[in-house]
Amino acid sequence: MKPIFLSLAAVLSVASAAPDGKQLFTIHCTACHMLDQMVVGPSLVEIRSLYNGKPDEFVKWSIAPQKKRPGAIEMPSQAHIGEEGLRAIYAHIMDVSKGVVAKKQEQGDPFAASPTQTVRPQVQRIFMPNASPASIAVALDDMNSLCWDAGNSRLRYAWTGGFIDGFAYWKGNGSSLATVLGTVKYTEQASPFGKDAAVKFLGYKVKGGLPIFRYSVGEQIVTEAYSPVSEGMGFVRSYAVVTKVPLVLDFPAQSGVSITTDKGKLEGGKLILTPAEAAAFTLTFSLK
Amino acid sequence: MKTATFLTWITLSAVSFGWTEHFTFENIATPPGMDPQVGAMDRMPDGRLAVAFHRGEVMFYNPADGSWKLFATGLQEPLGMLAEADGSLLVMQRAELTRLKDTDGDGSADEYETVFDDFGMSGNYHEFSYGPARDAEGNLFIVLGIASNGAPMAAEIRGEFSEIGQVDFKGMTTSETWGKNRGPAGRMYARVKWRGWVLKLSPDGKTMEPYASGFRSPNGIGFDAKGRLLITDNQGDWRPTSPLYDVRQGGFYGHPASLVWKKGWNGGDPRLMDVAKLDAMQVTAAGYFPQGELANSPTWPVIIPKGAFSEGMAGQTVIGEMNQPNLVRVLDDEVDGVFQTALVPMFDGSPLGIGNNRMVFGNDGSLYVGKTALSWAGSKGMTKIKWNGKPFLSLEKIKALPKGFALRFSQPIDANTLKTLSAKRHTYEYHQGYGAPKKNEEVLKITGAKLSDDGMMVTLDVGALEEKYLHLIDMTGLLSKEGGKILGAKAWYHVVKAPK
């Protein structure tokens, strides 16, 4: 720790009046630390319980903090405040937190029962695992959900079970991913239009709560609508593609997944359609 | 109830209750069960308010009957909204600018049209997206926040990765080694496209022009009444204190991370550049919010409409603030065509509270303040502020002079209180560190305070003004001729250009 303290001493030599701990706290700390509850960082009450009578340790930690709380952000170094300033902040924290009891933290998602969270079907943009940051989670019904990626205009995966738990994301500022509440049963490694297809996302419509995605692949305009299967588990994917040339789409076989089409033939993982067939066709993905 | 009474007592006893004699502060009930953190607001042509919440709901609030109606759901962190004449809404969310349309007329959006998404996303939590602001020609301006080294990037990103930087893609995306890479990555970084940039979009969103660079966490963008594009940013690395900018095409606004996306950039990692060189490149802030005194995290600018507040405030800009329990009013001035401002607290010491993220004026002149926290210090819900029409003393205008300032007030001043005026100034060091203390702070000697014949104008002599210094005029002791206290008692004037 010595070199840090030495460099601080150099900074301090130009400082004049005794630092005002309360003012320094307002300037440097209030965005993340509140008196009686954890915000970004621990409450002043908790800091008191950790550092009461240990000003040196408080200063050391503030100059060279480390990550210690899972799910929380590591504090940036506060070396710029200077040792004297940090000691004044320490005194202020110990003073205002004396005898204060921390508020009880709410456990779990207080808004889990919100009508907009429980409604089915549901389309929700959120950071999802194993997909780009521009992903969209879709609950088709109570059992069937999928992750559609607006970053590359394609289905990433589908799962059965519950929908998502987004609380880790929502309780903060987006520093966590949503959790899939179920078992992923189907994953697509690339766009059915090809790995290097030039796609551009155009948005989606919502009909009866279900999404109809719209995007372009080169000159072709594609709409891709999702709905749950009428029985069992899986999803129905209805396409409309405006194309002048025959369409070849890749749907590689996956164990536990049966794919049927109402137009053309799906053979060897390839679906070949005439432009007329491509104008409206539906694939049904049944999941075990 | 005990707590409430106690709080009221604190409010009444510990602070000036001046604002509450002239304004009412009313909390608006938000829809039950929903996370009530407000990310975006605008007023519809019919007077309803469109309000976007943290979990992506967009709802209409009808001030006439206090009802809420759900319009759209499932957006990701909407942080800006613009109502269109046909009733559709442009909403800026993390991944894109979206147009919400009700095409079947059932009162809820059935089309979520992607207007513009041609920018990068690293998956880092701090990459918020803000806007749009619309100019007189209908062009749309958005501004993209940069990533924080509180976390690495995601393994899968959207768009191109810039190789310019100390840490390569693997290092930037690996949690296990982030502890050693986060320092060299930079406190805030912009390794995916157009982070830290203002982008100008054609009215249809089909063409984009990179417009200005150098932004960090610009949680406020809007045009003022004179058509200037105002953007606020947050104190942090390369931001000694929170700035207010008048953004022009091609300008660089101080945070270097975004420079890696400047056309033909060959200056290497901008973070490691000579600070003096960067300083020479940057546009001086039109205003500064002193940290801990006026604002720590300023937010959205809105224009005060005629009739909403006192007459002299019509057409002025008011800005929200997350950490201090006040808003900030902008007094604009020009010296040789250079725009510069004095920033004045508004509703300080009122029941307003913190977390003031978004604002919109209702048709009746009420100001609705939408609150959020996003895990930082803040609040939630919506507060309605209404002026009761009773006039009060406030600073209405400020003009920089060769040897001081001319101050115009809303009411005649009690000449005996002029002697209570005081002035100070300081500057800041521009550096990579997080925030900066005041530098060269000095008390200014007031050598004259002359009152105009009508008592409304004070000419204050403090000697020559210093460029790039934030001049504080403290009017706390000033009274009106009728004995009224001044509301908004401090003005921080950032001198960009000193009059000769």
Side-chain angles (χ1 to χ4, degrees):
Chain A
M1 289 316 293
K2 252 192 183 148
I4 294 167
F5 278 93
L6 278 176
S7 65
L8 273 175
V11 173
L12 286 171
S13 63
V14 295
S16 50
D20 177 342
K22 186 181 173 192
Q23 193 183 35
L24 287 171
F25 182 85
T26 310
I27 293 173
H28 300 286
C29 318
T30 42
C32 300
H33 297 280
M34 284 178 77
L35 176 63
D36 54 2
Q37 56 184 307
M38 165 116 184
V39 194
V40 182
S43 69
L44 305 195
V45 173
E46 189 183 345
I47 293 172
R48 181 172 223 281
S49 73
L50 292 169
Y51 294 104
N52 193 21
K54 303 173 193 164
D56 293 350
E57 282 183 34
F58 174 86
V59 171
K60 258 189 213 173
W61 178 268
S62 305
I63 288 169
Q66 289 157 31
K67 190 169 175 69
K68 75 171 164 191
R69 286 161 204 269
I73 293 161
E74 180 180 328
M75 182 170 82
S77 167
Q78 303 297 321
H80 56 280
I81 299 171
E83 186 182 340
E84 202 186 336
L86 288 169
R87 287 188 189 277
I89 290 173
Y90 170 85
H92 170 71
I93 292 175
M94 294 308 129
D95 183 39
V96 296
S97 59
K98 197 174 177 181
V100 178
V101 178
K103 268 190 198 154
K104 273 202 183 130
Q105 292 281 356
E106 286 179 275
Q107 294 296 316
D109 184 353
F111 305 111
S114 161
T116 58
Q117 304 286 302
T118 54
V119 67
R120 299 288 179 268
Q122 186 184 157
V123 179
Q124 178 70 54
R125 301 188 77 136
I126 192 166
F127 287 161
M128 292 289 289
N130 303 311
S132 95
S135 291
I136 304 175
V138 180
L140 299 172
D141 58 17
D142 286 331
M143 278 302 292
N144 297 287
S145 303
L146 52 90
C147 172
W148 205 88
D149 193 337
N152 35 42
S153 297
R154 67 183 180 99
L155 175 69
R156 300 300 296 252
Y157 48 90
W159 69 93
T160 61
F163 185 38
I164 53 168
D165 180 359
F167 185 50
Y169 174 94
W170 283 311
K171 79 173 177 195
N173 42 34
S175 56
S176 302
L177 305 175
T179 311
V180 166
L181 297 178
T183 311
V184 174
K185 298 275 181 68
Y186 177 74
T187 303
E188 272 181 15
Q189 300 302 333
S191 166
F193 289 85
K195 194 162 88 45
D196 302 315
V199 294
K200 181 161 177 35
F201 182 58
L202 301 172
Y204 56 94
K205 291 186 179 187
V206 176
K207 202 171 175 187
L210 292 163
I212 307 166
F213 297 108
R214 204 165 152 265
Y215 53 98
S216 62
V217 182
E219 299 292 298
Q220 300 161 337
I221 298 290
V222 181
T223 63
E224 187 179 335
Y226 284 87
S227 55
V229 288
S230 51
E231 271 178 50
M233 287 182 287
F235 55 94
V236 176
R237 197 170 179 185
S238 296
Y239 282 94
V241 185
V242 179
T243 177
K244 291 189 179 108
V245 294
L247 197 62
V248 182
L249 299 179
D250 294 320
F251 294 102
Q254 282 180 38
S255 70
V257 182
S258 112
I259 312 175
T260 57
T261 177
D262 71 339
K263 300 271 172 69
K265 260 198 180 142
L266 183 60
E267 277 178 341
K270 286 199 185 300
L271 176 65
I272 303 171
L273 300 164
T274 65
E277 289 170 331
F281 63 101
T282 296
L283 297 159
T284 303
F285 292 70
S286 302
L287 308 176
K288 270 190 184 153
Chain B
M1 278 322 289
K2 246 183 188 160
T3 319
T5 318
F6 179 68
L7 284 175
T8 312
W9 177 79
I10 291 266
T11 312
L12 292 177
S13 68
V15 291
S16 151
F17 53 97
W19 291 106
T20 53
E21 286 173 18
H22 304 272
F23 292 85
T24 52
F25 297 81
E26 180 194 345
N27 288 331
I28 302 290
T30 47
M34 264 177 51
D35 187 335
Q37 296 182 84
V38 175
M41 299 172 103
D42 202 8
R43 190 180 69 244
M44 301 302 288
D46 63 9
R48 287 178 303 161
L49 307 184
V51 182
F53 293 95
H54 176 47
R55 299 198 183 192
E57 302 94 343
V58 176
M59 300 192 79
F60 291 130
Y61 174 73
N62 189 345
D65 59 10
S67 65
W68 289 92
K69 189 175 182 319
L70 190 63
F71 181 64
T73 58
L75 305 180
Q76 189 176 9
E77 211 62 76
L79 285 176
M81 188 151 59
L82 212 54
E84 301 191 290
D86 66 352
S88 59
L89 284 170
L90 281 168
V91 184
M92 194 72 215
Q93 47 176 335
R94 270 195 192 269
E96 61 176 51
L97 178 63
T98 308
R99 180 175 283 116
L100 303 176
K101 287 197 272 197
D102 171 17
T103 62
D104 61 10
D106 71 349
S108 63
D110 47 65
E111 189 167 341
Y112 295 60
E113 179 196 357
T114 302
V115 177
F116 182 76
D117 69 350
D118 197 8
F119 58 87
M121 295 178 84
S122 77
N124 182 277
Y125 69 98
H126 217 290
E127 285 178 353
F128 301 104
S129 305
Y130 310 97
R134 190 196 275 124
D135 71 9
E137 287 83 47
N139 298 301
L140 300 167
F141 294 77
I142 61 170
V143 60
L144 303 171
I146 58 181
S148 163
N149 80 351
M153 300 181 5
E156 189 173 335
I157 65 172
R158 183 175 78 180
E160 194 185 333
F161 173 76
S162 170
E163 296 294 343
I164 304 172
Q166 305 301 103
V167 185
D168 64 8
F169 184 78
K170 190 162 187 292
M172 290 301 293
T173 57
T174 307
S175 302
E176 291 72 26
T177 52
W178 190 241
K180 100 181 145 63
N181 285 328
R182 66 195 294 264
R187 179 68 187 86
M188 302 286 283
Y189 55 86
R191 303 292 288 274
V192 295
K193 222 164 189 180
W194 307 126
R195 306 308 319 189
W197 283 75
V198 177
L199 305 180
K200 179 183 178 182
L201 312 178
S202 58
D204 63 4
K206 288 200 168 32
T207 57
M208 180 277 281
E209 189 184 345
Y211 190 76
S213 62
F215 294 92
R216 180 182 178 276
S217 200
N219 186 22
I221 174 170
F223 284 91
D224 76 1
K226 289 187 178 152
R228 303 180 190 100
L229 180 58
L230 300 185
I231 295 185
T232 61
D233 208 333
N234 278 212
Q235 185 250 24
D237 57 326
W238 301 100
R239 293 270 186 248
T241 199
S242 300
L244 169 68
Y245 289 115
D246 163 25
V247 176
R248 308 288 176 93
Q249 186 159 19
F252 164 63
Y253 293 87
H255 196 292
S258 54
L259 289 172
V260 299
W261 298 107
K262 196 176 164 73
K263 202 177 172 190
W265 179 254
N266 58 7
D269 186 347
R271 199 169 65 83
L272 305 179
M273 269 175 73
D274 178 25
V275 176
K277 208 166 156 187
L278 280 170
D279 196 11
M281 282 166 63
Q282 73 164 330
V283 179
T284 304
Y288 266 139
F289 305 80
Q291 176 86 356
E293 292 179 275
L294 183 62
N296 293 27
S297 304
T299 63
W300 219 254
V302 291
I303 300 167
I304 301 172
K306 206 170 155 48
F309 296 163
S310 55
E311 201 185 323
M313 292 186 187
Q316 291 182 349
T317 301
V318 63
I319 294 172
E321 154 63 1
M322 289 297 297
N323 293 121
Q324 305 292 330
N326 55 258
L327 306 180
V328 177
R329 192 161 52 95
V330 181
L331 299 182
D332 56 350
D333 190 15
E334 267 187 25
V335 175
D336 300 340
V338 176
F339 173 63
Q340 49 200 31
T341 68
L343 302 179
V344 181
M346 188 155 195
F347 305 131
D348 48 323
S350 80
L352 171 69
I354 62 170
N356 307 305
N357 190 36
R358 294 293 177 268
M359 298 185 291
V360 66
F361 280 94
N363 274 351
D364 71 341
S366 297
L367 176 62
Y368 292 85
V369 181
K371 301 190 169 219
T372 198
L374 298 186
S375 84
W376 286 286
S379 190
K380 58 197 173 190
M382 215 160 80
T383 299
K384 176 186 174 182
I385 305 173
K386 188 148 173 52
W387 181 41
N388 62 15
K390 258 172 70 183
F392 55 92
L393 178 61
S394 64
L395 179 62
E396 286 199 335
K397 223 173 153 36
I398 187 163
K399 182 105 203 91
L401 303 171
K403 295 227 176 298
F405 298 96
L407 312 170
R408 204 189 74 207
F409 295 90
S410 59
Q411 295 177 336
I413 298 292
D414 174 356
N416 294 321
T417 60
L418 289 176
K419 59 179 182 294
T420 65
L421 288 168
S422 66
K424 283 200 278 194
R425 74 175 159 219
H426 68 271
T427 188
Y428 294 105
E429 186 189 340
Y430 170 66
H431 64 189
Q432 190 173 172
Y434 204 93
K438 291 176 182 175
K439 189 179 152 186
N440 300 344
E441 188 170 20
E442 60 173 322
V443 173
L444 299 178
K445 195 169 173 324
I446 297 178
T447 53
K450 194 174 144 260
L451 200 58
S452 63
D453 291 343
D454 65 359
M456 310 268 281
M457 178 90 88
V458 174
T459 308
L460 203 61
D461 294 329
V462 297
L465 306 183
E466 196 76 58
E467 290 181 358
K468 296 191 185 177
Y469 272 69
L470 188 57
H471 294 67
L472 163 65
I473 301 160
D474 190 336
M475 305 165 285
T476 309
L478 218 53
L479 296 176
S480 72
K481 226 170 172 176
E482 289 163 356
K485 281 184 69 168
I486 187 164
L487 300 185
K490 290 180 178 182
W492 280 274
Y493 189 116
H494 194 227
V495 176
V496 181
K497 179 106 183 147
K500 292 279 178 284

